[in-house]
Amino acid sequence: MHIYAFGSVCRGDVSPNSDIDLLAITDGHDPRFDPDSYSIYSYKRISELWHEGNPFAWHLALESKLLFASDKNDYLKSLGDPAPYTNCVSDCEKFYSLFRDARTSLANNPASRVFDLSTIFLSLRNIASCFSLGATETPTFARNSATRLEALSINISSSAYQVLERARILCTRGYGNSISIAEASIAIQEFDEIDRWMDRLVKGAKSHERI
C-alpha cells in the first residue's frame, strides 16, 4: 500500500479554497480508505496510466509526495517518467465540446446553472492543463491553470471567473453561497470569449502536433 499527497499542497499553492488531494494505491478493496477522501487506484491501473502517458500520471509524476509506503519504497518514483503525452489534440477537443454542451444546457435550462457553470469551470481548467502538458514546456495542473498559460491565458473578467470557480466548489464540496441568476449572467457574458480562447488552444495543439 502506498499513500501520496498531490496537487496544491505539493505545489505550495494552497488557498482558502484548496483541499488536500490524497491518493491511495492498494491491492484490491481496502475498507480503510473512504472514496470521498482519497483517489483510490490499483497498482495495475496506475501502471496502465503511466504507460498511456495519461495527464493524471504526469500530474502525479510532477506533483506528488509520498506519505506512506508499506514496503518503504516510493512506488511512483520507481515507475520513472510516464510515457509521452500524445492525446493533447483529442483531449482539448473533448473539453471544448464539454464547454459547448454545458453552454447549451444552461441556455435551455437556467435552473441547472450551478451544475453547468461548474462543468464550464472544469472544462476550462482541464483544457488548459492538457494544452500546457502537450504543447508547452511548463505543464500546469493548478486549479487556475487557465490563467497560467502566459500569452495564451484566458482573458475574462475576474468576476466571471470567480462565479465559475464558486460553482465548481459548490458542486464538488457542497459549500458556499448559491449562484444567483444575476451572477450567472456575469459569466454568461464571457462565453463568447471562452469559446474563442478554447478554439485558439485547440488550434495551437494541432499546430504543435504537426511540428
Side-chain angles (χ1 to χ4, degrees):
M1 176 178 64
H2 290 78
I3 302 173
Y4 291 84
F6 65 97
S8 59
V9 69
C10 295
R11 286 192 302 271
D13 193 22
V14 177
S15 74
N17 291 326
S18 298
D19 55 6
I20 298 177
D21 295 308
L22 296 171
L23 168 72
I25 310 175
T26 67
D27 284 315
H29 175 69
D30 191 323
R32 292 173 294 181
F33 296 111
D34 180 355
D36 290 334
S37 301
Y38 290 84
S39 297
I40 305 170
Y41 284 78
S42 67
Y43 289 95
K44 179 177 182 292
R45 184 56 184 147
I46 288 291
S47 178
E48 289 171 347
L49 294 175
W50 239 252
H51 285 96
E52 293 166 6
N54 186 281
F56 186 53
W58 278 102
H59 188 178
L60 294 175
L62 295 171
E63 296 181 353
S64 68
K65 182 176 179 60
L66 179 66
L67 300 179
F68 174 80
S70 57
D71 62 359
K72 310 300 182 184
N73 294 314
D74 189 330
Y75 173 69
L76 295 183
K77 187 171 290 186
S78 74
L79 295 175
D81 286 342
Y85 175 48
T86 59
N87 293 326
C88 182
V89 171
S90 60
D91 284 346
C92 286
E93 289 176 333
K94 175 178 67 178
F95 291 116
Y96 188 13
S97 178
L98 182 65
F99 160 71
R100 287 179 291 183
D101 288 346
R103 181 180 186 176
T104 299
S105 174
L106 181 56
N108 292 335
N109 182 18
S112 68
R113 61 185 177 274
V114 173
F115 176 78
D116 289 326
L117 292 172
S118 168
T119 300
I120 287 169
F121 184 82
L122 174 69
S123 69
L124 62 87
R125 174 188 179 175
N126 286 0
I127 194 174
S129 290
C130 290
F131 178 83
S132 73
L133 178 60
T136 79
E137 299 296 323
T138 53
T140 174
F141 300 98
R143 171 180 294 276
N144 295 321
S145 57
T147 68
R148 300 188 179 190
L149 297 179
E150 298 182 350
L152 287 173
S153 293
I154 194 167
N155 184 25
I156 62 174
S157 69
S158 59
S159 55
Y161 189 88
Q162 288 165 8
V163 168
L164 296 172
E165 186 173 23
R166 279 177 51 209
R168 187 63 188 164
I169 293 169
L170 272 169
C171 277
T172 57
R173 302 180 201 167
Y175 68 79
N177 296 325
S178 187
I179 308 294
S180 69
I181 292 175
E183 288 174 320
S185 69
I186 295 172
I188 290 169
Q189 291 171 11
E190 299 284 8
F191 282 179
D192 286 345
E193 176 56 34
I194 293 174
D195 191 283
R196 288 189 290 269
W197 172 72
M198 287 191 168
D199 184 61
R200 286 195 297 272
L201 293 192
V202 170
K203 289 177 178 176
K206 289 179 178 178
S207 295
H208 187 272
E209 185 178 62
R210 289 194 293 269
I211 295 175

